[in-house]
PDB file of all heavy atoms in Angstrom:
ATOM      1  N   VAL A   1     -66.803-149.615 -14.910  1.00 93.00           N
ATOM      2  CA  VAL A   1     -65.984-148.713 -14.092  1.00 93.00           C
ATOM      3  C   VAL A   1     -64.549-149.216 -14.119  1.00 93.00           C
ATOM      4  O   VAL A   1     -64.297-150.410 -13.955  1.00 93.00           O
ATOM      5  CB  VAL A   1     -66.495-148.670 -12.631  1.00 93.00           C
ATOM      6  CG1 VAL A   1     -65.699-147.656 -11.806  1.00 93.00           C
ATOM      7  CG2 VAL A   1     -67.982-148.351 -12.572  1.00 93.00           C
ATOM      8  N   GLY A   2     -63.585-148.295 -14.313  1.00 92.00           N
ATOM      9  CA  GLY A   2     -62.178-148.666 -14.310  1.00 92.00           C
ATOM     10  C   GLY A   2     -61.292-147.518 -14.727  1.00 92.00           C
ATOM     11  O   GLY A   2     -61.755-146.397 -14.983  1.00 92.00           O
ATOM     12  N   ARG A   3     -59.977-147.785 -14.834  1.00 90.00           N
ATOM     13  CA  ARG A   3     -59.024-146.742 -15.226  1.00 90.00           C
ATOM     14  C   ARG A   3     -59.001-146.507 -16.724  1.00 90.00           C
ATOM     15  O   ARG A   3     -58.655-145.423 -17.189  1.00 90.00           O
ATOM     16  CB  ARG A   3     -57.613-147.128 -14.758  1.00 90.00           C
ATOM     17  CG  ARG A   3     -57.337-146.816 -13.304  1.00 90.00           C
ATOM     18  CD  ARG A   3     -55.859-146.945 -12.962  1.00 90.00           C
ATOM     19  NE  ARG A   3     -55.344-148.292 -13.183  1.00 90.00           N
ATOM     20  CZ  ARG A   3     -54.424-148.604 -14.082  1.00 90.00           C
ATOM     21  NH1 ARG A   3     -53.921-147.675 -14.879  1.00 90.00           N
ATOM     22  NH2 ARG A   3     -54.011-149.859 -14.196  1.00 90.00           N
ATOM     23  N   ALA A   4     -59.343-147.526 -17.483  1.00 89.00           N
ATOM     24  CA  ALA A   4     -59.256-147.413 -18.950  1.00 89.00           C
ATOM     25  C   ALA A   4     -60.264-146.388 -19.466  1.00 89.00           C
ATOM     26  O   ALA A   4     -61.404-146.307 -18.974  1.00 89.00           O
ATOM     27  CB  ALA A   4     -59.499-148.765 -19.590  1.00 89.00           C
ATOM     28  N   PRO A   5     -59.885-145.580 -20.471  1.00 85.00           N
ATOM     29  CA  PRO A   5     -60.789-144.547 -21.004  1.00 85.00           C
ATOM     30  C   PRO A   5     -62.005-145.131 -21.706  1.00 85.00           C
ATOM     31  O   PRO A   5     -62.941-144.399 -22.032  1.00 85.00           O
ATOM     32  CB  PRO A   5     -59.898-143.762 -21.968  1.00 85.00           C
ATOM     33  CG  PRO A   5     -58.785-144.682 -22.327  1.00 85.00           C
ATOM     34  CD  PRO A   5     -58.562-145.546 -21.126  1.00 85.00           C
ATOM     35  N   THR A   6     -62.006-146.443 -21.993  1.00 87.00           N
ATOM     36  CA  THR A   6     -63.152-147.061 -22.662  1.00 87.00           C
ATOM     37  C   THR A   6     -64.316-147.313 -21.709  1.00 87.00           C
ATOM     38  O   THR A   6     -65.405-147.681 -22.139  1.00 87.00           O
ATOM     39  CB  THR A   6     -62.712-148.394 -23.295  1.00 87.00           C
ATOM     40  OG1 THR A   6     -62.115-149.212 -22.280  1.00 87.00           O
ATOM     41  CG2 THR A   6     -61.695-148.153 -24.402  1.00 87.00           C
ATOM     42  N   ASN A   7     -64.096-147.160 -20.390  1.00 89.00           N
ATOM     43  CA  ASN A   7     -65.162-147.365 -19.412  1.00 89.00           C
ATOM     44  C   ASN A   7     -66.134-146.190 -19.423  1.00 89.00           C
ATOM     45  O   ASN A   7     -65.776-145.061 -19.767  1.00 89.00           O
ATOM     46  CB  ASN A   7     -64.575-147.530 -18.004  1.00 89.00           C
ATOM     47  CG  ASN A   7     -63.813-148.827 -17.831  1.00 89.00           C
ATOM     48  OD1 ASN A   7     -64.403-149.886 -17.734  1.00 89.00           O
ATOM     49  ND2 ASN A   7     -62.483-148.741 -17.832  1.00 89.00           N
ATOM     50  N   ARG A   8     -67.381-146.483 -19.049  1.00 89.00           N
ATOM     51  CA  ARG A   8     -68.366-145.417 -18.963  1.00 89.00           C
ATOM     52  C   ARG A   8     -68.066-144.491 -17.771  1.00 89.00           C
ATOM     53  O   ARG A   8     -68.336-143.301 -17.830  1.00 89.00           O
ATOM     54  CB  ARG A   8     -69.769-146.014 -18.837  1.00 89.00           C
ATOM     55  CG  ARG A   8     -70.220-146.741 -20.094  1.00 89.00           C
ATOM     56  CD  ARG A   8     -71.683-147.123 -20.013  1.00 89.00           C
ATOM     57  NE  ARG A   8     -72.102-147.807 -21.237  1.00 89.00           N
ATOM     58  CZ  ARG A   8     -72.512-147.184 -22.344  1.00 89.00           C
ATOM     59  NH1 ARG A   8     -72.526-145.862 -22.369  1.00 89.00           N
ATOM     60  NH2 ARG A   8     -72.876-147.870 -23.412  1.00 89.00           N
ATOM     61  N   ILE A   9     -67.546-145.056 -16.666  1.00 91.00           N
ATOM     62  CA  ILE A   9     -67.067-144.231 -15.543  1.00 91.00           C
ATOM     63  C   ILE A   9     -65.570-144.484 -15.416  1.00 91.00           C
ATOM     64  O   ILE A   9     -65.136-145.601 -15.125  1.00 91.00           O
ATOM     65  CB  ILE A   9     -67.790-144.589 -14.230  1.00 91.00           C
ATOM     66  CG1 ILE A   9     -69.290-144.326 -14.353  1.00 91.00           C
ATOM     67  CG2 ILE A   9     -67.216-143.786 -13.068  1.00 91.00           C
ATOM     68  CD1 ILE A   9     -70.084-144.679 -13.105  1.00 91.00           C
ATOM     69  N   VAL A  10     -64.798-143.454 -15.677  1.00 89.00           N
ATOM     70  CA  VAL A  10     -63.339-143.563 -15.667  1.00 89.00           C
ATOM     71  C   VAL A  10     -62.822-142.990 -14.348  1.00 89.00           C
ATOM     72  O   VAL A  10     -63.138-141.850 -13.982  1.00 89.00           O
ATOM     73  CB  VAL A  10     -62.714-142.814 -16.861  1.00 89.00           C
ATOM     74  CG1 VAL A  10     -61.192-142.949 -16.823  1.00 89.00           C
ATOM     75  CG2 VAL A  10     -63.276-143.344 -18.179  1.00 89.00           C
ATOM     76  N   LEU A  11     -62.025-143.788 -13.630  1.00 89.00           N
ATOM     77  CA  LEU A  11     -61.457-143.363 -12.349  1.00 89.00           C
ATOM     78  C   LEU A  11     -59.954-143.142 -12.487  1.00 89.00           C
ATOM     79  O   LEU A  11     -59.241-143.990 -13.017  1.00 89.00           O
ATOM     80  CB  LEU A  11     -61.712-144.424 -11.269  1.00 89.00           C
ATOM     81  CG  LEU A  11     -63.177-144.746 -10.949  1.00 89.00           C
ATOM     82  CD1 LEU A  11     -63.247-145.795  -9.840  1.00 89.00           C
ATOM     83  CD2 LEU A  11     -63.931-143.496 -10.544  1.00 89.00           C
ATOM     84  N   ASP A  12     -59.509-141.986 -12.019  1.00 85.00           N
ATOM     85  CA  ASP A  12     -58.078-141.682 -12.013  1.00 85.00           C
ATOM     86  C   ASP A  12     -57.499-142.211 -10.703  1.00 85.00           C
ATOM     87  O   ASP A  12     -57.240-141.469  -9.753  1.00 85.00           O
ATOM     88  CB  ASP A  12     -57.864-140.174 -12.147  1.00 85.00           C
ATOM     89  CG  ASP A  12     -56.386-139.819 -12.250  1.00 85.00           C
ATOM     90  OD1 ASP A  12     -55.569-140.728 -12.508  1.00 85.00           O
ATOM     91  OD2 ASP A  12     -56.055-138.631 -12.049  1.00 85.00           O
ATOM     92  N   ASP A  13     -57.314-143.517 -10.630  1.00 85.00           N
ATOM     93  CA  ASP A  13     -56.943-144.181  -9.382  1.00 85.00           C
ATOM     94  C   ASP A  13     -55.983-145.318  -9.726  1.00 85.00           C
ATOM     95  O   ASP A  13     -56.360-146.297 -10.375  1.00 85.00           O
ATOM     96  CB  ASP A  13     -58.213-144.708  -8.706  1.00 85.00           C
ATOM     97  CG  ASP A  13     -57.930-145.348  -7.358  1.00 85.00           C
ATOM     98  OD1 ASP A  13     -56.744-145.562  -7.020  1.00 85.00           O
ATOM     99  OD2 ASP A  13     -58.897-145.641  -6.639  1.00 85.00           O
ATOM    100  N   GLU A  14     -54.716-145.201  -9.276  1.00 85.00           N
ATOM    101  CA  GLU A  14     -53.707-146.197  -9.620  1.00 85.00           C
ATOM    102  C   GLU A  14     -53.999-147.569  -9.011  1.00 85.00           C
ATOM    103  O   GLU A  14     -53.560-148.592  -9.514  1.00 85.00           O
ATOM    104  CB  GLU A  14     -52.322-145.722  -9.156  1.00 85.00           C
ATOM    105  CG  GLU A  14     -51.783-144.518  -9.930  1.00 85.00           C
ATOM    106  CD  GLU A  14     -51.577-144.834 -11.391  1.00 85.00           C
ATOM    107  OE1 GLU A  14     -51.144-145.966 -11.700  1.00 85.00           O
ATOM    108  OE2 GLU A  14     -51.861-143.953 -12.222  1.00 85.00           O
ATOM    109  N   VAL A  15     -54.743-147.603  -7.898  1.00 87.00           N
ATOM    110  CA  VAL A  15     -55.054-148.874  -7.258  1.00 87.00           C
ATOM    111  C   VAL A  15     -56.202-149.581  -7.979  1.00 87.00           C
ATOM    112  O   VAL A  15     -56.382-150.784  -7.862  1.00 87.00           O
ATOM    113  CB  VAL A  15     -55.396-148.637  -5.768  1.00 87.00           C
ATOM    114  CG1 VAL A  15     -55.626-149.951  -5.037  1.00 87.00           C
ATOM    115  CG2 VAL A  15     -54.264-147.872  -5.083  1.00 87.00           C
ATOM    116  N   CYS A  16     -56.960-148.804  -8.736  1.00 91.00           N
ATOM    117  CA  CYS A  16     -58.084-149.365  -9.493  1.00 91.00           C
ATOM    118  C   CYS A  16     -57.557-150.077 -10.752  1.00 91.00           C
ATOM    119  O   CYS A  16     -56.618-149.617 -11.402  1.00 91.00           O
ATOM    120  CB  CYS A  16     -59.049-148.240  -9.863  1.00 91.00           C
ATOM    121  SG  CYS A  16     -60.406-148.741 -10.915  1.00 91.00           S
ATOM    122  N   SER A  17     -58.158-151.213 -11.112  1.00 91.00           N
ATOM    123  CA  SER A  17     -57.754-151.932 -12.332  1.00 91.00           C
ATOM    124  C   SER A  17     -58.304-151.212 -13.565  1.00 91.00           C
ATOM    125  O   SER A  17     -59.221-150.386 -13.481  1.00 91.00           O
ATOM    126  CB  SER A  17     -58.279-153.366 -12.286  1.00 91.00           C
ATOM    127  OG  SER A  17     -57.706-154.069 -11.203  1.00 91.00           O
ATOM    128  N   ARG A  18     -57.752-151.560 -14.727  1.00 90.00           N
ATOM    129  CA  ARG A  18     -58.186-150.903 -15.968  1.00 90.00           C
ATOM    130  C   ARG A  18     -59.669-151.166 -16.204  1.00 90.00           C
ATOM    131  O   ARG A  18     -60.426-150.263 -16.551  1.00 90.00           O
ATOM    132  CB  ARG A  18     -57.344-151.397 -17.153  1.00 90.00           C
ATOM    133  CG  ARG A  18     -55.894-150.921 -17.096  1.00 90.00           C
ATOM    134  CD  ARG A  18     -55.106-151.440 -18.296  1.00 90.00           C
ATOM    135  NE  ARG A  18     -55.702-151.007 -19.574  1.00 90.00           N
ATOM    136  CZ  ARG A  18     -55.525-149.795 -20.115  1.00 90.00           C
ATOM    137  NH1 ARG A  18     -54.770-148.894 -19.493  1.00 90.00           N
ATOM    138  NH2 ARG A  18     -56.067-149.482 -21.279  1.00 90.00           N
ATOM    139  N   ASN A  19     -60.079-152.422 -16.095  1.00 92.00           N
ATOM    140  CA  ASN A  19     -61.496-152.770 -16.181  1.00 92.00           C
ATOM    141  C   ASN A  19     -61.861-153.433 -14.853  1.00 92.00           C
ATOM    142  O   ASN A  19     -61.616-154.621 -14.643  1.00 92.00           O
ATOM    143  CB  ASN A  19     -61.757-153.721 -17.351  1.00 92.00           C
ATOM    144  CG  ASN A  19     -61.409-153.066 -18.680  1.00 92.00           C
ATOM    145  OD1 ASN A  19     -62.029-152.092 -19.069  1.00 92.00           O
ATOM    146  ND2 ASN A  19     -60.392-153.597 -19.353  1.00 92.00           N
ATOM    147  N   HIS A  20     -62.399-152.648 -13.962  1.00 94.00           N
ATOM    148  CA  HIS A  20     -62.515-153.077 -12.574  1.00 94.00           C
ATOM    149  C   HIS A  20     -63.828-153.800 -12.288  1.00 94.00           C
ATOM    150  O   HIS A  20     -63.827-154.925 -11.789  1.00 94.00           O
ATOM    151  CB  HIS A  20     -62.383-151.864 -11.644  1.00 94.00           C
ATOM    152  CG  HIS A  20     -62.005-152.238 -10.246  1.00 94.00           C
ATOM    153  ND1 HIS A  20     -60.720-152.101  -9.764  1.00 94.00           N
ATOM    154  CD2 HIS A  20     -62.724-152.746  -9.227  1.00 94.00           C
ATOM    155  CE1 HIS A  20     -60.672-152.512  -8.512  1.00 94.00           C
ATOM    156  NE2 HIS A  20     -61.887-152.910  -8.159  1.00 94.00           N
ATOM    157  N   CYS A  21     -64.965-153.171 -12.583  1.00 93.00           N
ATOM    158  CA  CYS A  21     -66.256-153.768 -12.279  1.00 93.00           C
ATOM    159  C   CYS A  21     -67.326-153.177 -13.197  1.00 93.00           C
ATOM    160  O   CYS A  21     -67.062-152.238 -13.953  1.00 93.00           O
ATOM    161  CB  CYS A  21     -66.628-153.550 -10.806  1.00 93.00           C
ATOM    162  SG  CYS A  21     -66.862-151.816 -10.374  1.00 93.00           S
ATOM    163  N   GLU A  22     -68.521-153.746 -13.148  1.00 95.00           N
ATOM    164  CA  GLU A  22     -69.628-153.216 -13.933  1.00 95.00           C
ATOM    165  C   GLU A  22     -70.916-153.298 -13.118  1.00 95.00           C
ATOM    166  O   GLU A  22     -71.058-154.144 -12.229  1.00 95.00           O
ATOM    167  CB  GLU A  22     -69.784-153.978 -15.242  1.00 95.00           C
ATOM    168  CG  GLU A  22     -70.053-155.469 -15.071  1.00 95.00           C
ATOM    169  CD  GLU A  22     -70.121-156.214 -16.385  1.00 95.00           C
ATOM    170  OE1 GLU A  22     -69.611-155.696 -17.408  1.00 95.00           O
ATOM    171  OE2 GLU A  22     -70.686-157.325 -16.388  1.00 95.00           O
ATOM    172  N   ILE A  23     -71.863-152.389 -13.425  1.00 94.00           N
ATOM    173  CA  ILE A  23     -73.145-152.323 -12.733  1.00 94.00           C
ATOM    174  C   ILE A  23     -74.237-152.369 -13.798  1.00 94.00           C
ATOM    175  O   ILE A  23     -74.174-151.643 -14.805  1.00 94.00           O
ATOM    176  CB  ILE A  23     -73.256-151.039 -11.894  1.00 94.00           C
ATOM    177  CG1 ILE A  23     -72.136-150.979 -10.841  1.00 94.00           C
ATOM    178  CG2 ILE A  23     -74.613-150.943 -11.203  1.00 94.00           C
ATOM    179  CD1 ILE A  23     -72.058-149.671 -10.085  1.00 94.00           C
ATOM    180  N   PHE A  24     -75.249-153.217 -13.583  1.00 92.00           N
ATOM    181  CA  PHE A  24     -76.321-153.340 -14.565  1.00 92.00           C
ATOM    182  C   PHE A  24     -77.621-153.699 -13.848  1.00 92.00           C
ATOM    183  O   PHE A  24     -77.628-154.080 -12.672  1.00 92.00           O
ATOM    184  CB  PHE A  24     -75.973-154.395 -15.624  1.00 92.00           C
ATOM    185  CG  PHE A  24     -75.648-155.753 -15.050  1.00 92.00           C
ATOM    186  CD1 PHE A  24     -76.638-156.717 -14.867  1.00 92.00           C
ATOM    187  CD2 PHE A  24     -74.340-156.060 -14.687  1.00 92.00           C
ATOM    188  CE1 PHE A  24     -76.331-157.954 -14.334  1.00 92.00           C
ATOM    189  CE2 PHE A  24     -74.032-157.297 -14.149  1.00 92.00           C
ATOM    190  CZ  PHE A  24     -75.031-158.258 -13.967  1.00 92.00           C
TER     191      PHE A  24
END
């Protein structure tokens, strides 16, 4: 999860980091 388009869940959120977190 993050702002970067390479994430599986992309958030349009300026406060969110490009690669913010992951869930597994």
Side-chain angles (χ1 to χ4, degrees):
V1 184
R3 279 192 299 115
T6 55
N7 291 286
R8 293 189 179 275
I9 298 179
V10 180
L11 299 181
D12 184 15
D13 183 350
E14 291 297 322
V15 184
C16 175
S17 297
R18 291 180 58 80
N19 298 296
H20 200 102
C21 64
E22 60 183 19
I23 300 173
F24 56 91

